[in-house]
Every structure is written in C-alpha cells, then in structure tokens.
C-alpha cells in the first residue's frame, strides 16, 4: 500500500494542543485510536509539508 493507493476507509481526525505543551494529531478508525504527539516546531514543519502538498495537488487537479 502506498500513498497513491485508494482505500475505502473512514477515519476521524482531531488536532489540538495537549496539557504538556505538545500538539496531538489523534486519528480514530474502525475502533483503532492513534494519538501522535509532536513538539510545536515539529507540528509547524508538518503544517508546512501539508500546505506544500496541497499546492502541488492543486496543480495536478
């Protein structure tokens, strides 16, 4: 399975700060919960990657 392989799976995603000063991305799908914590600096890098990917996708689509 790669990034270009389509799947028919529903998932819920929440993003927010934790009480420990981290940024949590929380994904839940089919009873599986995946909490991922990042430092604010890491979260900003991830956000920049998402923005860059969105711009590239817009060029393709």
């Amino acid at each position: 399975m790669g990034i270009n392989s389509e799947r028919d799976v529903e998932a819920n995603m929440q993003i927010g700060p934790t009480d420990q000063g981290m940024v949590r991305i929380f994904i839940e799908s089919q009873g599986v919960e995946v909490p991922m914590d990042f430092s604010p600096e890491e979260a900003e890098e991830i956000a920049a990657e998402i923005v860059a990917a969105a711009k590239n996708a817009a060029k393709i689509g």
Side-chain angles (χ1 to χ4, degrees), residues 3-30:
I3 200 163
N4 287 318
S5 299
E6 290 189 31
R7 305 280 312 261
D8 190 23
V9 176
E10 252 183 64
N12 295 310
M13 180 173 67
Q14 297 177 24
I15 302 171
T18 70
D19 60 359
Q20 300 293 309
M22 301 292 280
V23 175
R24 177 166 290 167
I25 299 175
F26 184 85
I27 299 173
E28 185 275 323
S29 179
Q30 299 176 346

Side-chain angles (χ1 to χ4, degrees), residues 16-50:
T18 70
D19 60 359
Q20 300 293 309
M22 301 292 280
V23 175
R24 177 166 290 167
I25 299 175
F26 184 85
I27 299 173
E28 185 275 323
S29 179
Q30 299 176 346
V32 177
E33 297 178 345
V34 182
M36 296 176 285
D37 291 349
F38 302 93
S39 69
E41 295 80 15
E42 290 172 316
E44 288 179 0
E45 290 176 14
I46 293 167
E49 290 179 28
I50 291 171

